[in-house]
């Protein structure tokens, strides 16, 4: 049976960055609720119960703690060990409606607790079939009215003659609602990290006198870097370190503490964490190893550390990390002594070793850094948190991630898509290889490898995925030091023909265009250059070109309206010439700040000094070879296209009968608690309940019934084995097409039964459909990413050509359109070489309906519609395969700490 559970308990962030615990109310909470109601003011009780007495509070508590999940749900919030808020709903006579009410302690009002409770209650109510909240509140209860009006749903209110406001809230979350929730999450998350990533006071616990100790190294780096805040060390001896005071315990450190970096042995970490909580620290960076990465005992140790942080409203970075850095406050709280100059790149790495390498590379190349976070075991702070923080960080222009895993992929996708509209995100995701295989019985599941899921997530979210750390810096530098290109048209200029051709090949291989230059540009170049120079594209200035000629020719290309970006490729021919050419490129860049110029100096690893600004950073993107320059430019051009693309909206789909779908799913899992393949008829009924057009089908169990079904349908029919788990039916002899008479159908059934035996599982007789383009739509549930929706070429060519595209849920209208058009075979749908144009709108709608089915029913483990025949008159599914499996409901977009 489907479990319609209340969302599980969660640690949540409040608007001021503090951490509270939200959970369902139980009978054991009666005392805590009485304490809450005794603590709130008479004014708050009056606004809640419309009376000054406290008797109503006792009655309300009795209702809240009772166990009656069909009729009500109640949630409470605990902050600093005390119940500070409670909210619940009660079903009305109309079971699709429920009345909702809230009580928040006076001292905690304005922290966003009411909206958090509303979001969780709305999710729980919707899971139980409630579609509308109603409430009554006094006109003077401004805070409660703000909770309803700020929820993000289309609220309506009515004021009666007694001063009571009647509130009506349909529980129909749309893009606006999700955006509002996301903004609240960003505000709270940023507040919780501000004192951690840009502290004004910092303590290193474990900074001893031994220069080889990690704590000493971190403290020395902070001192050497000139950290702008108050700095202190804690060690056993209390001896000063690097000329700054040290204390024997954290409790001795005077003044407020923002951040504590812990580098003590693992056995002492919890004691320091408790002391930090007692001092009101905002966060911990735990460099110490020996936690979840080490052993089951270490995992339990890490869980206890996280529990201490949550109870003390502290954010945790690590454990088992190499630290954090922020050039805005000159903070190098890592054990890497080399820190890059200030700049626009903010970087997170899950791997400490990778973090050390990236910091060293950035310092060597001069790439400017805004902030750096080594996430380590990622017990708390993750890439999701950092992206939200960097979104409004004025120093961050580019977000870069080295990821080994995702905590909440669907939330990552939503945050990344929002942040990416403002700031580009570049990511290396390790683990492309597949070390094992999955036993599956559908085309969709077989094609959905873990890396496909990652690619799908990044594609939808606009994240630039790169394959190496070098490429991460190649792309990030271009994004940081050059404007986004208007398009993919690239002009190439250099002083040697061969490298120019290599650059052109690399551009076209990466998906860029190397177009012919405008006639007036070629004329201008011809007047500048000697005989023998090439004035097409690429432009070859010849080896003897001096800096003045190079600059004049480059300006001609930058003035060409048909050029979106320029790659300069200079081959050094004499000493000192590279610096003169570099200076010329920089002058051109200053006069054309709206066009990206990419500089390639062949074989020169050390950037010519004129290409560096006063801080030692590249003044424009620099590469030693044309191929990485072309790949980086192509990646950035793709991001620029995504950034200007339409923001997707959720579809408005009618004709959905969720009651029928629920009955089919529930009855199948009741009979098969471990999951099952639906027989062909029930599979058809399930997708039809969501408005999917399926060719008429009749289930049959013997040859006589098959003949009768053929006669009933009339015309040519197909006979198919009904067993849901039977894959590649055509190869197994489980499909017979074009049976023109009932007798042919009867005979075909007998032959199929003899061939397949018990594997046949009965059969279905289906009317033949008009010929068209055969496509396929599928779903597979990934244990980490949730449902993946597939669209591809269908029929017998499905596996042969493997022309498929995957997307994660939720699927927007724009996602569906892009997914269909991303196939290499997509031109077949749009009138390829004189063929009729197909009804692509009907195909998009079918894709969206299947996505809605998968979103509503997590029990949908695998689904294949293959083929889906698309013609000028519509789209129709011909074969339906569905596997159901028990699944707990998930709430991936509810605000919660991991």
């Amino acid at each position: 049976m489907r479990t319609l559970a209340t969302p599980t308990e969660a640690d949540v962030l409040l608007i001021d960055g503090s951490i509270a615990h939200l959970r369902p109310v139980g009978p054991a909470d009666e005392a805590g609720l009485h304490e809450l109601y005794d603590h709130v003011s008479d004014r708050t009780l009056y606004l809640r119960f419309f009376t000054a007495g406290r008797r109503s509070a006792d009655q309300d508590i009795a209702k809240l703690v009772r166990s009656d999940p069909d009729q009500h749900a109640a949630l409470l919030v605990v902050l600093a060990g005390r119940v500070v808020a409670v909210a619940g709903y009660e079903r009305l006579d109309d079971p699709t409606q429920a009345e909702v009410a809230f009580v928040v302690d006076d001292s905690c009002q304005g922290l966003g607790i009411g909206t958090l409770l509303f979001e969780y209650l709305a999710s729980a109510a919707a899971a139980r079939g409630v579609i509308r909240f109603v409430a009554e509140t006094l006109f003077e209860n401004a805070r409660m009215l703000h909770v309803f009006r700020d929820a993000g749903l289309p609220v309506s209110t009515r004021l009666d003659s007694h001063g009571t406001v009647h509130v009506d809230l349909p529980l129909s979350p749309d893009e606006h609602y999700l955006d509002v929730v996301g903004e609240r999450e960003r505000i709270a998350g940023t507040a919780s990290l501000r004192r951690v990533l840009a502290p004004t006071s910092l303590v290193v616990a474990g900074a001893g006198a031994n220069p080889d100790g990690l704590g000493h190294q971190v403290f020395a780096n902070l001192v050497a870097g000139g950290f702008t805040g108050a700095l202190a060390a804690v060690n056993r001896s209390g001896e000063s370190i690097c000329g700054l005071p040290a204390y024997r315990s954290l409790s001795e450190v005077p003044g407020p503490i923002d951040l504590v970096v812990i580098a003590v042995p693992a056995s002492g970490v919890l004691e320091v964490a408790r002391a930090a909580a007692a001092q009101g620290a905002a966060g911990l960076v735990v460099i110490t190893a020996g936690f979840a990465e080490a052993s089951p005992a270490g995992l339990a140790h890490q869980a206890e550390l996280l529990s201490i942080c949550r109870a003390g409203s502290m954010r945790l970075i690590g454990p088992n990390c190499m630290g954090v850095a922020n050039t805005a406050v000159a903070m190098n709280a890592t054990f890497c002594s080399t820190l890059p100059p200030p700049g626009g790149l903010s970087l997170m790495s899950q791997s400490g070793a990778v973090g050390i390498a990236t910091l060293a590379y950035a310092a060597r190349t001069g790439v400017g850094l805004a902030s750096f976070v080594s996430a380590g075991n990622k017990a708390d702070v993750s890439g999701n948190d950092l992206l939200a923080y960097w979104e409004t960080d004025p120093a961050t222009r580019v977000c870069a991630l080295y990821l080994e895993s995702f905590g909440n992929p669907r939330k990552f996708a939503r945050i990344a898509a929002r942040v990416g509209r403002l700031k580009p995100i570049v990511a290396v995701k390790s683990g492309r290889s597949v070390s094992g295989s999955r036993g599956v019985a559908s085309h969709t599941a077989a094609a959905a490898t873990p890396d496909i899921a990652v690619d799908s997530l990044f594609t939808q979210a606009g994240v630039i995925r790169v394959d190496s750390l070098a490429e991460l810096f190649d792309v990030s530098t271009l994004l940081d030091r050059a404007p986004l290109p208007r398009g993919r048209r690239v002009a190439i200029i250099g002083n040697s023909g061969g490298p120019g051709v290599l650059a052109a090949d690399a551009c076209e291989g990466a998906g860029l265009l190397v177009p012919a230059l405008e006639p007036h540009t070629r004329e201008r170049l011809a007047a500048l250059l000697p005989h023998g120079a090439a004035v097409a594209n690429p432009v070859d200035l010849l080896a003897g070109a001096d800096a003045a000629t190079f600059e004049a020719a480059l300006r001609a290309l930058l003035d060409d309206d048909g050029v979106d970006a320029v790659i300069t490729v200079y081959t050094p021919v004499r000493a000192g010439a590279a610096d003169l050419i570099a200076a010329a490129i920089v002058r051109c860049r200053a006069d054309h700040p709206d066009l990206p110029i990419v500089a390639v100096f062949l074989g020169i690893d050390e950037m010519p000094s004129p290409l560096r600004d006063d801080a030692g950073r590249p003044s424009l993107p620099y590469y030693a070879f044309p191929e990485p320059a072309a790949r980086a430019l192509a990646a950035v051009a793709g991001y620029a296209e995504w950034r200007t693309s339409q923001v997707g909206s959720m579809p408005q789909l009618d004709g959905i009968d969720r009651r029928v779908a629920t009955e089919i799913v529930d009855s199948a899992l009741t009979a098969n608690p471990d999951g099952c393949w639906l027989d062909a008829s029930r599979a058809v009924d399930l997708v039809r309940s969501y408005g999917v057009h399926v060719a008429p089908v009749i289930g049959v169990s013997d040859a006589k019934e098959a003949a009768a079904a053929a006669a009933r349908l009339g015309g040519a029919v197909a006979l198919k084995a009904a067993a849901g788990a039977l894959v590649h039916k055509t190869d197994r002899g489980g499909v017979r097409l074009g049976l023109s008479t009932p007798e042919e159908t009867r005979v075909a059934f007998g032959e199929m039964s003899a061939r397949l035996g018990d594997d046949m599982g009965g059969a279905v007789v289906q009317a033949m459909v008009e010929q068209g383009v055969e496509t396929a739509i599928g779903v597979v549930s990934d244990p980490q990413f949730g449902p993946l929706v597939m669209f591809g070429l269908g029929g017998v060519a499905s596996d042969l050509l493997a022309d498929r595209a995957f997307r994660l849920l939720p699927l927007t209208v724009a996602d569906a359109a892009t997914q269909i058009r991303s196939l290499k075979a997509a031109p077949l749908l749009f009138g390829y070489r004189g063929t009729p144009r197909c009804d692509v709108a009907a195909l998009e709608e079918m894709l969206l309906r299947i996505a809605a089915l998968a979103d509503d029913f997590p029990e949908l483990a695998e689904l294949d519609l293959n083929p889906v025949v698309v013609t000028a008159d519509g789209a129709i599914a011909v074969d339906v395969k569905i596997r159901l499996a028990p699944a707990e409901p998930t709430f991936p977009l509810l605000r919660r700490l991991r």
Side-chain angles (χ1 to χ4, degrees):
M1 289 288 290
R2 298 183 344 109
T3 304
L4 300 180
T6 301
T8 55
E9 58 184 296
D11 293 318
V12 292
L13 285 173
L14 306 183
I15 292 300
D16 66 347
S18 58
I19 301 173
H21 188 71
L22 184 153
R23 61 172 174 81
V25 173
D29 292 312
E30 187 170 350
L33 291 175
H34 275 291
E35 183 181 348
L36 166 66
Y37 280 64
D38 290 342
H39 191 266
V40 300
S41 66
D42 290 341
R43 175 68 175 169
T44 294
L45 286 182
Y46 170 73
L47 293 176
R48 166 64 181 92
F49 298 113
F50 299 17
T51 178
R54 290 182 174 261
R55 183 177 179 182
S56 296
D58 296 335
Q59 296 172 341
D60 193 48
I61 291 171
K63 290 172 60 178
L64 288 168
V65 299
R66 81 185 193 278
S67 178
D68 189 4
D70 289 335
Q71 287 301 116
H72 93 127
L75 301 169
L76 58 77
V77 172
V78 177
L79 180 63
R82 185 171 65 87
V83 177
V84 297
V86 66
Y89 72 76
E90 298 283 341
R91 278 191 198 265
L92 302 177
D93 291 338
D94 178 352
T96 66
Q97 298 189 30
E99 185 174 17
V100 65
F102 302 76
V103 173
V104 179
D105 189 273
D106 298 64
S107 64
C108 298
Q109 293 177 11
L111 295 179
I113 293 175
T115 51
L116 269 164
L117 285 166
F118 179 89
E119 292 165 21
Y120 273 77
L121 278 179
S123 181
R128 289 181 168 88
V130 176
I131 64 173
R132 186 177 302 277
F133 273 168
V134 298
E136 292 182 354
T137 188
L138 293 174
F139 178 75
E140 57 204 280
N141 194 351
R143 285 192 182 276
M144 196 68 254
L145 289 172
H146 276 301
V147 168
F148 293 132
R149 288 170 179 159
D150 295 344
L153 295 170
V155 60
S156 60
T157 58
R158 178 178 58 84
L159 177 65
D160 66 20
S161 58
H162 302 290
T164 299
V165 179
H166 300 266
V167 180
D168 187 284
L169 271 161
L171 303 183
S172 51
D174 55 10
E175 281 298 299
H176 174 68
Y177 175 77
L178 295 178
D179 287 343
V180 168
V181 172
E183 177 61 11
R184 287 196 285 259
E185 185 172 43
R186 184 197 63 74
I187 291 171
T190 299
S192 76
L193 288 175
R194 188 174 293 114
R195 291 171 57 203
V196 179
L197 297 181
T200 58
S201 56
L202 191 157
V203 176
V204 180
N210 182 0
D212 294 329
L214 292 181
H216 182 101
Q217 292 175 30
V218 171
F219 195 81
N221 289 340
L222 285 162
V223 173
F227 175 61
T228 59
L231 184 60
V234 170
N235 57 48
R236 293 177 180 176
S237 67
E239 295 179 0
S240 64
I241 304 295
C242 302
L244 291 179
Y247 303 87
R248 289 184 173 86
S249 69
L250 202 59
S251 60
E252 297 177 10
V253 179
I257 301 171
D258 285 340
L259 179 62
V260 178
V261 178
I262 301 179
V264 303
S267 59
V269 168
L270 298 186
E271 180 184 354
V272 176
R274 292 188 184 97
Q279 288 283 74
L284 305 181
V285 174
V286 179
I287 291 174
T288 307
F291 289 86
E293 83 287 353
S295 66
L299 177 61
H301 207 48
Q302 181 171 300
E304 189 174 356
L305 171 62
L306 182 60
S307 179
I308 293 169
C309 290
R310 294 287 165 81
S313 282
M314 297 186 298
R315 299 307 304 270
L316 170 62
I317 295 176
N320 185 35
C321 74
M322 61 167 288
V324 298
N326 185 346
T327 56
V329 293
M331 176 180 69
N332 180 11
T334 76
F335 50 79
C336 183
S337 59
T338 305
L339 192 66
L345 177 64
S346 284
L347 172 66
M348 185 209 84
S349 172
Q350 277 188 248
S351 164
V354 169
I356 293 172
T358 53
L359 287 180
Y361 181 89
R364 185 171 67 254
T365 58
V367 174
L369 193 75
S371 61
F372 167 78
V373 175
S374 169
N377 290 0
K378 215 168 56 169
D380 177 25
V381 174
S382 68
N384 292 358
D385 299 292
L386 294 170
L387 287 177
Y389 179 83
W390 291 334
E391 182 178 6
T392 54
D393 175 30
T396 300
R397 291 189 294 273
V398 182
C399 309
L401 306 170
Y402 173 79
L403 298 170
E404 295 174 351
S405 63
F406 292 97
N408 187 332
R410 288 186 66 174
K411 184 164 287 188
F412 175 90
R414 186 159 191 87
I415 293 172
R418 184 186 74 230
V419 175
R421 296 286 173 180
L422 300 172
K423 300 177 181 181
I425 303 168
V426 188
V428 177
K429 171 62 177 71
S430 62
R432 276 192 179 273
S433 60
V434 179
S435 58
S437 60
R438 174 169 31 182
V440 293
S442 71
H443 299 278
T444 304
T449 65
D451 200 56
I452 287 289
V454 176
D455 273 338
S456 302
L457 186 157
F458 286 166
T459 296
Q460 283 173 268
V463 175
I464 302 172
R465 185 177 190 180
V466 294
D467 292 327
S468 67
L469 295 174
E471 194 175 358
L472 181 141
F473 279 101
D474 289 343
V475 173
S476 298
T477 302
L478 199 153
L479 287 163
D480 185 33
R481 310 308 294 170
L484 294 177
R486 297 184 302 247
R488 292 181 171 268
R489 301 168 299 178
V490 180
I492 300 166
I493 182 173
N495 64 334
S496 179
V501 173
L502 287 175
D505 289 345
C507 285
E508 292 184 348
L512 298 170
L513 304 175
V514 186
L517 301 173
E518 295 288 341
H520 66 84
T521 302
R522 295 197 300 270
E523 293 172 3
R524 183 173 167 185
L525 289 169
L528 288 170
L529 304 178
H531 178 71
V535 296
N537 192 13
V539 175
D540 180 8
L541 305 176
L542 302 181
D546 58 15
T549 303
F550 198 106
E551 181 174 349
L554 177 56
R555 291 183 182 277
L557 297 181
L558 294 170
D559 289 337
D560 191 318
D561 291 335
V563 170
D564 300 314
V566 178
I567 297 178
T568 67
V569 185
Y570 183 73
T571 304
V573 292
R574 54 184 175 272
D579 282 357
L580 297 175
I581 297 295
I585 295 172
V586 170
R587 287 192 294 271
C588 292
R589 160 71 191 281
D591 293 336
H592 292 82
D594 57 334
L595 279 176
I597 303 174
V598 178
V600 176
F601 282 70
L602 272 181
I604 302 180
D605 291 327
E606 185 64 30
M607 185 186 308
S609 58
L611 293 182
R612 293 185 183 273
D613 63 15
D614 293 341
R617 299 168 302 192
S619 57
L620 50 80
Y622 172 83
Y623 304 90
F625 296 99
E627 292 82 3
R631 288 193 296 268
L633 187 56
V636 172
Y639 165 72
E641 292 168 351
W642 173 86
R643 185 158 158 169
T644 57
S645 65
Q646 177 184 359
V647 177
S649 60
M650 297 308 297
Q652 301 299 314
L653 302 171
D654 56 12
I656 289 178
D657 193 334
R658 189 170 180 180
R659 180 189 60 81
V660 169
T662 300
E663 186 278 326
I664 293 171
V665 172
D666 284 356
S667 62
L669 291 178
T670 298
N672 303 276
D674 294 330
C676 63
W677 287 92
L678 292 179
D679 65 54
S681 296
R682 293 298 272 171
V684 168
D685 291 342
L686 181 56
V687 297
R688 278 181 175 164
S689 71
Y690 267 64
V692 174
H693 190 198
V694 183
V697 62
I698 300 174
V700 297
S701 58
D702 56 35
K704 182 178 178 181
E705 289 183 2
R712 179 178 167 188
L713 290 171
V717 299
L719 178 72
K720 302 176 183 178
L726 188 64
V727 72
H728 300 301
K729 291 180 183 178
T730 303
D731 296 344
R732 297 280 306 276
V735 177
R736 291 287 300 275
L737 304 176
L739 302 171
S740 58
T741 66
E743 176 60 20
E744 284 187 27
T745 308
R746 185 190 65 78
V747 172
F749 186 99
E751 294 172 347
M752 189 179 294
S753 179
R755 182 180 300 109
L756 297 177
D758 292 341
D759 289 345
M760 183 174 174
V764 294
V765 179
Q766 188 174 50
M768 294 291 292
V769 302
E770 178 186 353
Q771 286 190 342
V773 178
E774 292 190 350
T775 64
I777 293 174
V779 174
V780 61
S781 183
D782 183 277
Q784 185 181 16
F785 291 83
L788 289 166
V789 180
M790 185 275 294
F791 175 74
L793 204 60
V796 296
S798 180
D799 290 331
L800 178 65
L801 300 180
D803 192 7
R804 309 180 182 98
F806 286 82
R807 295 292 186 270
L808 275 69
L809 297 181
L811 197 69
T812 67
V813 174
D815 287 334
T818 303
Q819 185 177 5
I820 288 171
R821 287 160 179 78
S822 68
L823 263 61
K824 296 182 179 67
L828 294 174
L829 299 168
F830 296 92
Y832 182 68
R833 293 192 172 182
T835 58
R837 181 184 177 89
C838 294
D839 187 352
V840 178
L843 186 61
E844 292 172 356
E845 182 179 332
M846 184 181 291
L847 187 60
L848 290 166
R849 289 182 179 276
I850 290 297
L853 175 64
D855 211 4
D856 289 344
F857 292 89
E859 301 87 350
L860 189 65
E862 295 180 51
L863 176 148
D864 265 353
L865 304 184
N866 186 12
V868 174
V869 179
V870 194
T871 66
D873 300 320
I876 185 169
V878 176
D879 194 59
V880 183
K881 287 171 58 67
I882 292 176
R883 182 173 69 87
L884 301 177
E888 290 296 321
T890 59
F891 307 93
L893 299 179
L894 281 176
R895 290 191 282 156
R896 61 184 301 165
L897 291 170
R898 297 186 306 120

